[in-house]
Amino acid sequence: MLRVNLGFATTTDTGLDDFTEGVLLKLYGHASYPSPPVTSAALTTAKNNFSAANAAAALGGPAQTAEKENKRGILIALLRQLALYVEENHGNDLAVLLGSGFLASSTNRSQAALPAPTIKKIRPGLSGQLLVSVGVIPNAKCYELRYALIGPDGTPGPWQQPPAPSTNTRALSATGLTPGAEYKFQVRAIGGTTGASDWSDAVTKRAM
C-alpha cells in the first residue's frame, strides 16, 4: 500500500510554503478527492498567515519567531489531515497520489535523497506549448514540471503544473501558454527517501 510522505512537516519554511502551494493547485478539483476535510479557503488562509508571520520573523525578534512557529504548526496540522485523506483515497495508484500534490514515501531502504534535475533544453511544440527536456536522475520514478508567467515587472505569477507527473524526460509538456509571453520553468524528480528532489534552477523561455 502506497503511503503519503509526511516530510513536509520537517522541511524548511520556504519548502513548506512551496509544498502547500502545490497541494492547493492540484488537490482541489481532483476527481479522486471530492470531499477534502480541509477546504481550499481554510488552507489558503493558513498558508497566507504562515507566509506573513515568516516575513515578520525575518525582521523581528523572539516574539515574531514564536508566532511564526505557531502559524507553521497550524498549517502542518491541516496538511496532515489532508495527507490522511489522500492516503485513504488514492486507491494504491501512484499517479493519483501524486496528483494530490502530496508525495509518496519510498519503500526501498537502499534509496537516497534524489538530486535536483537539470533542465537541458526548452523547445516549442504546438502553438501555446513548450516541451522541457531534463537530465535523467537514477532511481527517479517520474518528473514534475511547474511554470509561471512572468509579468511586465519581471515578477513570476502563480506556479502552474500539468495534471500529472511524467516519465518522459525529453518532453515534459507545458500547454495553454500565451504566445509571445515569457515563462519561468522548474522541474523536480519524484522518488528517493524524501519523496522528491529539490526544484531545479529556474529557466526562462518565451512561448511561441
Side-chain angles (χ1 to χ4, degrees):
M1 180 68 176
L2 290 170
R3 304 298 300 270
V4 173
N5 190 305
L6 302 179
F8 58 81
T10 56
T11 190
T12 64
D13 292 335
T14 299
L16 179 62
D17 194 77
D18 287 345
F19 178 82
T20 306
E21 185 176 336
V23 172
L24 283 166
L25 182 66
K26 301 178 76 171
L27 176 65
Y28 297 95
H30 195 295
S32 294
Y33 307 111
S35 304
V38 177
T39 66
S40 175
L43 188 62
T44 298
T45 296
K47 176 184 180 297
N48 291 342
N49 289 343
F50 169 64
S51 297
N54 192 28
L59 302 174
Q64 287 75 23
T65 298
E67 178 65 8
K68 183 260 291 186
E69 291 300 324
N70 177 51
K71 299 302 184 187
R72 178 185 171 98
I74 292 172
L75 178 57
I76 288 174
L78 295 180
L79 288 170
R80 286 185 182 277
Q81 291 183 54
L82 290 170
L84 179 60
Y85 173 72
V86 168
E87 200 160 85
E88 292 172 345
N89 289 276
H90 60 57
N92 209 33
D93 186 317
L94 179 60
V96 173
L97 191 162
L98 296 176
S100 69
F102 285 88
L103 300 172
S105 289
S106 171
T107 57
N108 184 349
R109 295 184 182 273
S110 67
Q111 282 190 337
L114 299 180
T118 299
I119 294 177
K120 299 171 63 177
K121 184 178 181 181
I122 302 177
R123 66 186 191 278
L126 302 174
S127 179
Q129 180 188 41
L130 288 173
L131 302 174
V132 180
S133 63
V134 298
V136 174
I137 301 296
N139 297 322
K141 298 176 182 177
C142 51
Y143 298 83
E144 193 168 45
L145 172 69
R146 70 177 184 178
Y147 49 96
L149 174 66
I150 298 177
D153 62 352
T155 302
W159 288 107
Q160 304 176 62
Q161 291 180 280
S166 174
T167 58
N168 187 355
T169 58
R170 295 184 177 183
L172 299 172
S173 178
T175 59
L177 308 180
T178 301
E182 283 193 325
Y183 290 81
K184 178 177 287 189
F185 294 85
Q186 289 184 301
V187 178
R188 65 178 177 178
I190 302 299
T193 54
T194 59
S197 71
D198 290 336
W199 289 101
S200 69
D201 290 338
V203 176
T204 299
K205 182 73 174 181
R206 188 179 301 276
M208 305 295 289

